[in-house]
Amino acid sequence: MRVDPNLLIVFLAVAERGSLSAAASHLDVTRSAVSQSLRRLEDRLGTALVVRTTRSARLTETGVRLRDRLSGPFFEINESLDTILGDATPTGFLRLAVASIAERILSGPLIASFAEAYPGIMIDVTVTDAVIDIVEHGFDAGVRLGEVVEQDMIAVPVGGEIREMAVAAPGFLARYGCPEHPRDLTRFPCIGWRPSPDAAPYRWEFYEKGQLFSVQVDPQITTNDPRFMLRSALAGAGITFTTEETFQPYVDRGELVSILGDYLKPFPGFFLYFPARRHMAPKLRAFVDHVRVHADDISMSNVV
């Protein structure tokens, strides 16, 4: 049976990225074009390959078997082309999903030097704290705290260890006093963070006698924007909690006061992560290599 290879390429894009929209973005075509190509392929084969919904695409049993049989040969073809082309500069559309508190790692010198080195790669960065499947949503890679990266991903450390800090304005501490222990925070006005409107506020984590424990504060103010947390704390609205690098310049100037520091210690920070595949797209390989080379130069010292 002869099948148009272009239809197989569309099918693999949907299978890999988990939705027609993500596949369309990857292939730089319309969602309608992807849907029509899938329908043509299914008609040609006489069987359903993909169960479509408004948000995702799930492979049928036949679709899974076809994906597994096709993935290897197509990757071999791409690898052979890369070998034949030799030192051809990577090109394409590189999509990255980055947690808001990690955005400072990429923005600035790192992304600027990468863009200069690879002018043929178009970089699209989405800053989001939502817990998403980067493959399903069509991203090539993501950057977030290592503790929330899925175990089946390849993770490359960026930016070194980080430390969290609890702070408040001097005027706030003069009015309310200072908590002596992290569990005292439940009696103070706090400014909390949540990744999305339907998520609970983040639990603040501390160490005592080598043991990690968390405190569920009841924030009077909650937001998903670290900048809002910072400005609110500066205005004396409450105690807040995020990475040390965000607050340190303000602590150094006396605009904020660091508290409970004896209960906080450094921990592994942010990681660039991406799906484990036998073959990596040249555009992603270039970015991963660039991050590895410049990992020691990455600084989180820029303020929000």
Side-chain angles (χ1 to χ4, degrees), residues 178-188 190 215 217 239 260:
C178 182
E180 297 182 1
H181 189 276
R183 292 191 177 90
D184 297 336
L185 289 166
T186 57
R187 303 197 301 268
F188 286 79
C190 292
V215 176
V217 300
I239 299 170
L260 302 172

Side-chain angles (χ1 to χ4, degrees), residues 12-291:
L12 284 175
V14 173
E16 178 182 306
R17 299 179 182 275
S19 75
L20 272 65
S21 297
S25 177
H26 172 67
L27 297 170
D28 198 22
V29 297
T30 65
R31 187 182 187 280
S32 176
V34 170
S35 180
Q36 292 174 18
S37 294
L38 277 180
R39 189 175 300 112
R40 287 175 55 199
L41 179 59
E42 290 174 328
D43 290 344
R44 182 75 177 104
L45 299 178
T47 185
L49 300 172
V50 179
V51 178
R52 299 123 164 114
T53 68
T54 55
R55 295 189 176 183
S56 64
R58 177 175 56 84
L59 298 184
T60 64
E61 184 177 347
T62 303
V64 171
R65 291 203 305 269
L66 182 61
R67 178 202 62 192
D68 293 344
R69 294 296 297 271
L70 291 177
S71 296
F74 269 89
F75 277 125
E76 293 287 350
I77 291 171
N78 288 332
E79 187 177 58
S80 298
L81 290 173
D82 292 339
T83 300
I84 293 170
L85 293 175
D87 296 329
T89 302
T91 60
F93 195 71
L94 183 69
R95 299 189 67 215
L96 305 172
V98 183
S100 61
I101 56 174
E103 172 270 330
R104 297 186 303 280
I105 290 177
L106 293 189
S107 62
L110 178 67
I111 206 72
S113 59
F114 179 74
E116 181 179 4
Y118 298 97
I121 297 179
M122 309 302 293
I123 310 157
D124 184 276
V125 179
T126 296
V127 179
T128 176
D129 291 311
V131 180
I132 61 173
D133 183 327
I134 59 171
V135 175
E136 177 181 346
H137 287 79
F139 291 100
D140 296 289
V143 179
R144 62 180 58 251
L145 287 174
E147 62 190 41
V148 295
V149 174
E150 296 87 345
Q151 292 186 353
D152 61 347
M153 293 284 174
I154 297 176
V156 178
V158 291
E161 289 188 326
I162 63 173
R163 183 174 179 267
E164 291 182 304
M165 179 185 283
V167 298
F172 175 89
L173 296 176
R175 293 195 309 273
Y176 291 94
C178 182
E180 297 182 1
H181 189 276
R183 292 191 177 90
D184 297 336
L185 289 166
T186 57
R187 303 197 301 268
F188 286 79
C190 292
I191 305 163
W193 175 85
R194 52 168 170 70
S196 59
D198 57 347
Y202 175 71
R203 295 177 68 93
W204 298 6
E205 295 183 337
F206 300 89
Y207 286 88
E208 186 173 28
K209 298 178 180 178
Q211 298 297 315
L212 177 68
F213 70 97
S214 62
V215 176
Q216 182 65 66
V217 300
D218 185 17
Q220 183 177 10
I221 300 171
T222 307
T223 179
N224 68 332
D225 186 352
R227 293 168 297 183
F228 191 96
M229 295 165 56
L230 172 62
R231 290 193 294 267
S232 299
L234 287 168
I239 299 170
T240 194
F241 187 86
T242 190
T243 56
E244 181 179 47
E245 290 78 5
T246 299
F247 297 137
Q248 193 62 56
Y250 301 91
V251 172
D252 292 343
R253 293 196 295 267
E255 299 174 58
L256 291 173
V257 177
S258 173
I259 62 175
L260 302 172
D262 291 341
Y263 298 94
L264 294 161
K265 70 176 186 178
F267 60 94
F270 298 102
F271 287 76
L272 170 69
Y273 68 100
F274 46 91
R277 297 191 180 109
R278 181 181 175 188
H279 303 283
M280 188 186 302
K283 61 183 180 181
L284 180 57
R285 169 69 67 188
F287 185 70
V288 172
D289 290 345
H290 190 83
V291 168

